[in-house]
């Protein structure tokens, strides 16, 4: 609770406030990373629907940021989603987190979650497909590689052949 409370005081965190009762009622939905001083990173897994888990309340203590703890939280949630046959979404406007999501093969899925987006209209929704069949996986991997290559070509100002 203290970690999330301190992070939500920062206007740039993008986290919505969560009180003690909210956390107590949903404690089984949280994954945390601790050290000898307490919790240093956390994330909340929210069952959005039968196919999707939303990762909310992801935060890292300021003293431990840029040390891969967000990456570890994402790994845990993705593993859980894969085991459950679900996909993961994350709602954010944090540029650093968006770069991390890009590296982990998340794509902009705002258009697929209009109802959820209405609750946070200034943010984007990123999704990672964790519930693939082998055929879907191969097809989507090729599509993602093509999309990233096209984006890189545009960013570099090159003309595609």
């Amino acid at each position: 609770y203290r970690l999330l409370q301190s992070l939500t005081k920062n206007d740039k965190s993008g986290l919505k406030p969560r009180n003690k009762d909210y956390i107590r009622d949903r404690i089984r939905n949280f994954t945390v990373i601790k050290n000898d001083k307490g919790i240093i990173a956390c994330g909340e897994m929210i069952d959005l629907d039968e196919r999707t888990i939303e990762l909310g309340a992801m935060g890292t203590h300021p003293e431990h940021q840029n040390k891969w703890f967000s990456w570890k939280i994402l790994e845990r949630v993705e593993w859980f989603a894969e085991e459950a046959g679900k996909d993961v979404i994350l709602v954010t406007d944090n540029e650093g987190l968006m770069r991390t999501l890009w590296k982990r093969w998340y794509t902009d899925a705002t258009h697929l979650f209009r109802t959820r987006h209405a609750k946070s209209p200034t943010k984007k929704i990123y999704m990672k497909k964790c519930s693939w069949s082998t055929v879907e996986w191969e097809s989507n991997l090729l599509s993602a590689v093509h999309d990233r290559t096209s984006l890189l070509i545009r960013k570099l100002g090159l003309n595609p052949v």
Side-chain angles (χ1 to χ4, degrees):
Y1 167 75
R2 287 191 305 265
L3 173 63
L4 289 175
Q5 185 181 35
S6 68
L7 292 172
T8 55
K9 288 179 182 176
N10 177 354
D11 291 336
K12 294 180 183 179
S13 76
L15 292 172
K16 71 176 185 177
R18 288 165 173 82
N19 63 37
K20 284 182 184 179
D21 290 335
Y22 177 92
I23 293 171
R24 192 177 301 116
D25 292 345
R26 294 162 182 82
I27 195 68
R28 291 185 176 271
N29 297 353
F30 282 83
T31 183
V32 299
I33 298 173
K34 296 179 182 180
N35 68 9
D36 57 340
K37 295 180 182 178
I39 295 173
I40 58 174
C42 69
E44 178 186 10
M45 294 178 282
I46 303 163
D47 267 329
L48 196 61
D49 57 40
E50 67 278 353
R51 296 181 322 261
T52 315
I53 293 173
E54 178 179 345
L55 172 54
M58 188 166 82
T60 303
H61 190 282
E63 292 178 15
H64 298 282
Q65 291 178 353
N66 302 313
K67 296 180 182 175
W68 298 93
F69 291 113
S70 295
W71 192 276
K72 294 307 267 178
I73 293 291
L74 283 166
E75 282 180 341
R76 287 181 181 181
V77 173
E78 290 163 11
W79 176 86
F80 182 83
E82 189 175 326
E83 291 294 311
K86 296 185 176 197
D87 301 323
V88 176
I89 68 165
L90 199 144
V91 181
T92 189
D93 59 359
N94 180 299
E95 293 289 332
L97 182 54
M98 287 182 209
R99 285 189 297 277
T100 298
L101 296 174
W102 178 256
K103 291 173 187 173
R104 294 194 61 82
W105 297 91
Y106 281 75
T107 57
D108 186 344
T110 305
H111 63 286
L112 298 174
F113 296 93
R114 295 185 198 284
T115 303
R116 176 60 187 90
H117 187 246
K119 295 177 183 176
S120 306
T122 61
K123 299 180 181 185
K124 288 191 172 186
I125 299 176
Y126 292 89
M127 180 176 82
K128 182 170 185 177
K129 187 117 172 106
C130 296
S131 62
W132 315 93
S133 69
T134 303
V135 172
E136 282 181 314
W137 186 86
E138 290 171 354
S139 172
N140 283 305
L141 178 61
L142 290 174
S143 177
V145 169
H146 177 265
D147 291 348
R148 286 168 187 259
T149 304
S150 297
L151 180 64
L152 183 59
I153 287 170
R154 285 195 308 274
K155 282 186 172 185
L156 294 173
L158 302 173
N159 291 325
V161 179

